[in-house]
Amino acid sequence: MTEFKVYDESDLDAVVRMWKEVGWIERDEQRNEVAHFLAAGVGEVARIDGEAECLVHRSPGSVHYASPLGEGVDLKLSAITAVTTSPIARRRGFASRLTARALAAAAEEGFAVAALGMFEQGFYDRLGFGTSGYEHLFRFDPAQLRVEHIPFRAPERLSPQQAEDIHGALQGRMRHHGAIRIDSSEFVKGEFTFHERFYGLGYRDEEGALTHCLVGSMKDEYGPWNIFLIAYRTTEQLLELFRLLYELSDQFRAVRLYQPAHVQLQALLGEPFRERQRSAGSPMASEHEAHAWMQLRILDVEACVAACRFAGEPLSFNLDLTDPAADKVSDDLSWKGAGGCYTVSLGPTSSASRGSTEGLPVLVADVGSFTRLWFGVGRPSTLAVTDSLQAAPELLSALERVIALPQPVAGMEF
């Protein structure tokens, strides 16, 4: 017998078992950290004969949408933070059905966007998700950082018991396009369960608030230091964190982190190509790779378009939008996807309203492709080649003129 139900503490042991089976955790002693993680949001499980065998968990947060005209907008984000299926429940469609139910519930609760970290590209496309932009992952010798001119201050040692402070630093960090925030500090507490040998350093202001920090896990005495959380309020604070890494280079030989949104990291490294060639094959080898690990999708077209504030003459068009998630949402939920016909206007103020307007050019897209267009992941003319997006060349050219956004960067893993 199979049933869907909201996750509660009676399912915790089954979730811990599943997470061990899929390799997310290794020990039963991590049970409390798993509980913290799940307390950061809501989940739903598929039970087989009374035992949870599939879980989809989501956490409330926000995503920052930038504007060329000044202040951007923080949109309500539902982050799909865990999708787990046990070996005996695979190939039964539970993950797809529970994820579709999570999207519908989030939309009904007023969330504008959903996002997740994908295990592989393709699976979540069937639920309307589109791939976000490339993020740059570096591993480098911190001695190569050219920051000797930045003053050095001794940092404060951080511990997992300071999760509230670390979460506060993440929430207050400098904004950029695509920046993700998770509302609950329980998420940060739970995130530590995935990383052994916690290693964190940071700085506080005069009032005692943690303002900028680096948090990660140290593999061994010489690193690499795998930094999975970085927070700062100003670019000066970011440079101070890099100076800290430079000063610690006499201990560890490598640092691994995603490039922060406000800097081109390669420009701060001395002889990056020589160092990459010299260290090739070493466990501490310098590397630079780019990949897109996050997918997202629009839940509320009207709210997402209203966040757009672009310079220049307004551009209006009809949007014919399809949503593949509509067929996967259960009958007991009222939301049936974001598909339909809209009249869209983009400019210094933007809007989308249900229904088409006679005489306007038409953009035909699925929700994943339109999300990628709206988020600034790719040029409209490129998306017309690679994605399910069609429009007359004149409309594509006009969209390229209007939509001017930096590449999105999440700024934290989830």
Side-chain angles (χ1 to χ4, degrees), residues 87-98:
I88 69 168
R90 293 182 182 272
R91 303 299 179 184
R92 301 193 188 188
F94 291 143
S96 295
R97 291 165 66 185
L98 284 177

Side-chain angles (χ1 to χ4, degrees), residues 287-302:
E287 297 177 342
H288 172 200
E289 61 183 62
H291 58 260
W293 60 268
M294 184 177 75
Q295 288 192 305
L296 71 163
R297 58 149 296 156
I298 289 173
L299 298 174
D300 185 333
V301 175
E302 291 92 335

Side-chain angles (χ1 to χ4, degrees), residues 105-129:
E108 291 175 359
E109 292 167 13
F111 288 89
V113 186
L116 50 78
M118 57 179 161
F119 70 91
E120 181 55 275
Q121 188 167 287
F123 179 85
Y124 296 106
D125 295 30
R126 69 190 75 175
L127 293 166
F129 284 89

Side-chain angles (χ1 to χ4, degrees), residues 222-243:
Y222 300 109
W225 184 8
N226 179 30
I227 297 171
F228 56 85
L229 293 177
I230 179 170
Y232 52 91
R233 297 181 180 179
T234 66
T235 52
E236 290 77 14
Q237 291 176 353
L238 173 60
L239 291 175
E240 184 171 41
L241 292 175
F242 283 137
R243 178 59 193 260

Side-chain angles (χ1 to χ4, degrees), residues 166-352:
I166 295 169
H167 177 257
L170 287 170
Q171 293 298 91
R173 73 190 194 275
M174 189 175 180
R175 295 182 177 185
H176 57 266
H177 183 56
I180 301 293
R181 289 170 176 79
I182 303 297
D183 291 346
S184 174
S185 63
E186 297 295 324
F187 174 84
V188 173
K189 293 178 183 177
E191 187 70 17
F192 295 158
T193 192
F194 301 113
H195 304 276
E196 295 186 0
R197 298 194 65 184
F198 178 96
Y199 196 96
L201 299 168
Y203 298 93
R204 296 182 184 272
D205 62 18
E206 294 179 355
E207 286 72 39
L210 186 67
T211 55
H212 48 307
C213 61
L214 299 166
V215 175
S217 59
M218 187 71 76
K219 184 175 181 180
D220 56 35
E221 179 182 0
Y222 300 109
W225 184 8
N226 179 30
I227 297 171
F228 56 85
L229 293 177
I230 179 170
Y232 52 91
R233 297 181 180 179
T234 66
T235 52
E236 290 77 14
Q237 291 176 353
L238 173 60
L239 291 175
E240 184 171 41
L241 292 175
F242 283 137
R243 178 59 193 260
L244 171 60
L245 291 176
Y246 175 82
E247 291 297 328
L248 295 175
S249 63
D250 59 347
Q251 177 194 336
F252 49 82
R253 304 293 184 256
V255 174
R256 181 179 181 271
L257 81 162
Y258 278 102
Q259 175 177 279
H262 300 98
V263 67
Q264 186 183 37
L265 186 50
Q266 180 177 302
L268 290 176
L269 298 176
E271 299 184 327
F273 302 128
R274 178 189 294 270
E275 178 63 20
R276 197 176 307 159
Q277 294 163 356
R278 185 195 64 78
S279 63
S282 164
M284 305 293 181
S286 293
E287 297 177 342
H288 172 200
E289 61 183 62
H291 58 260
W293 60 268
M294 184 177 75
Q295 288 192 305
L296 71 163
R297 58 149 296 156
I298 289 173
L299 298 174
D300 185 333
V301 175
E302 291 92 335
C304 289
V305 172
C308 302
R309 296 180 61 234
F310 299 129
E313 291 295 321
L315 170 65
S316 296
F317 58 92
N318 290 324
L319 172 64
D320 184 355
L321 190 68
T322 57
D323 191 341
D327 296 335
K328 297 175 178 61
V329 178
S330 302
D331 292 337
D332 61 320
L333 297 171
S334 60
W335 185 79
K336 299 301 180 186
C341 294
Y342 298 85
T343 298
V344 176
S345 179
L346 300 178
T349 60
S350 301
S351 65

Side-chain angles (χ1 to χ4, degrees), residues 45-68:
V45 298
R47 278 184 167 182
I48 300 176
D49 297 329
E51 184 85 355
E53 300 290 355
C54 183
L55 164 78
V56 171
H57 180 268
R58 58 189 174 95
S59 300
S62 65
V63 58
H64 189 70
Y65 192 88
S67 167

